Amino acid sequence: ASLLYPYGLDQHDHKNPKLDDGTSQQLPITVPFTFYGKKHQTLYVNNNGVISFGTRVHQYTPEPFPLADGRPFVAPYWGDVNNVLGGDIFYREITDPALLERITKNINQYFPEIPFTATWGFVATWDHVAYYGSTTNKGNTFQAVLTTNTKTSFIILNYWDIQWTTGVASDGDPETGLGGTPAHAGFNSGDDTHFYNIPGSETEAIINITKTSNVNVPGRWVFQVDDFKVTGVPTEVPKVANRNDCWL
């Protein structure tokens, strides 16, 4: 079964424009979402693998967190996406009771000590998105889900298929989508003290994020983010295949 929650036009998703380094419009959300102690009522879905609060993120070469410039955002996979060359970015608020129940069940499974029933959700999915300067049909498919019961907030990051790490403008190889400054995954609160970098970020190992997890589900990372807590995080960076495709 796919890690991904349902998405696409048949789910009444909206789609971002086909625009290199593009973003959605500012999206009002019906329930305030608390991220690192601050309530947000709007967000942006940015083509380059970021959901941000208060400001768009056009930047295509990632930087390690914390960023000192005050931008609060979630980076499921911050890299140089070019959806003009391939792929789509979908998003919607979740109103389907069955899907909210499924999300609730997952959160209860991963965080049994925290009473939680999802009353709201937002899902953004990057579907087989290409990288800037690509000369191949490589694409990445990943997803971020925000959910809250109005007090406690969680973010679920799902990594289904990761085939590239770097765009050409970040010194990546146009044929492989590797090298240069690889993609980054994690959270930035907007101050210089509250942040989290998923192991392997900005290294070649990030391509194997589909095999890592903090909830014992390969390809899935889940965090409580209203009052951010790092839970169950492995300390080892994911392994990288060598040239013979054997695991090191």
Side-chain angles (χ1 to χ4, degrees), residues 70-90:
R71 288 181 291 173
F73 63 76
V74 182
Y77 200 81
W78 184 15
D80 196 358
V81 170
N82 187 351
N83 64 341
V84 178
L85 293 179
D88 290 295
I89 296 102
F90 295 102

Side-chain angles (χ1 to χ4, degrees), residues 13-231:
D13 276 0
H14 303 278
K15 269 203 313 187
N16 269 12
K18 295 279 190 180
L19 181 65
D20 184 36
D21 302 327
T23 77
S24 68
Q25 297 297 311
Q26 186 179 53
L27 304 173
I29 54 179
T30 55
V31 173
F33 184 78
T34 304
F35 183 62
Y36 284 103
K38 295 180 181 177
K39 291 183 183 296
H40 298 278
Q41 291 192 271
T42 63
L43 54 78
Y44 295 94
V45 177
N46 304 276
N47 288 2
N48 287 337
V50 171
I51 295 176
S52 56
F53 305 99
T55 184
R56 291 177 169 91
V57 177
H58 298 288
Q59 183 178 340
Y60 52 83
T61 300
E63 299 176 57
F65 301 143
L67 303 178
D69 58 12
R71 288 181 291 173
F73 63 76
V74 182
Y77 200 81
W78 184 15
D80 196 358
V81 170
N82 187 351
N83 64 341
V84 178
L85 293 179
D88 290 295
I89 296 102
F90 295 102
Y91 63 86
R92 73 181 185 282
E93 282 193 286
I94 296 170
T95 56
D96 175 20
L99 184 51
L100 288 170
E101 185 178 342
R102 178 177 164 189
I103 291 169
T104 297
K105 183 178 179 181
N106 289 150
I107 297 296
N108 293 164
Q109 177 185 350
Y110 307 142
F111 299 86
E113 73 287 357
I114 301 173
F116 182 79
T117 301
T119 57
W120 175 88
F122 182 92
V123 57
T125 309
W126 287 257
D127 181 44
H128 200 73
V129 290
Y131 56 93
Y132 179 82
S134 172
T135 59
T136 73
N137 63 357
K138 284 187 173 187
N140 287 346
T141 300
F142 56 94
Q143 186 178 71
V145 178
L146 285 59
T147 185
T148 185
N149 62 2
T150 72
K151 292 183 180 179
T152 308
S153 302
F154 290 92
I155 292 178
I156 302 169
L157 304 179
N158 293 321
Y159 301 94
W160 184 242
D161 188 19
I162 300 296
Q163 300 181 358
W164 62 266
T165 64
T166 321
V168 170
S170 305
D171 296 323
D173 185 301
E175 293 184 4
T176 64
L178 305 175
T181 303
H184 194 92
F187 300 85
N188 194 65
S189 71
D191 62 32
D192 59 1
T193 55
H194 299 95
F195 62 93
Y196 180 67
N197 299 306
I198 289 180
S201 289
E202 289 187 59
T203 76
E204 60 183 353
I206 198 67
I207 200 165
N208 290 319
I209 198 167
T210 55
K211 300 178 176 70
T212 67
S213 177
N214 66 331
V215 293
N216 295 315
V217 179
R220 175 170 284 175
W221 290 76
V222 187
F223 299 91
Q224 182 183 349
V225 296
D226 53 287
D227 178 22
F228 187 74
K229 297 178 177 66
V230 176
T231 305

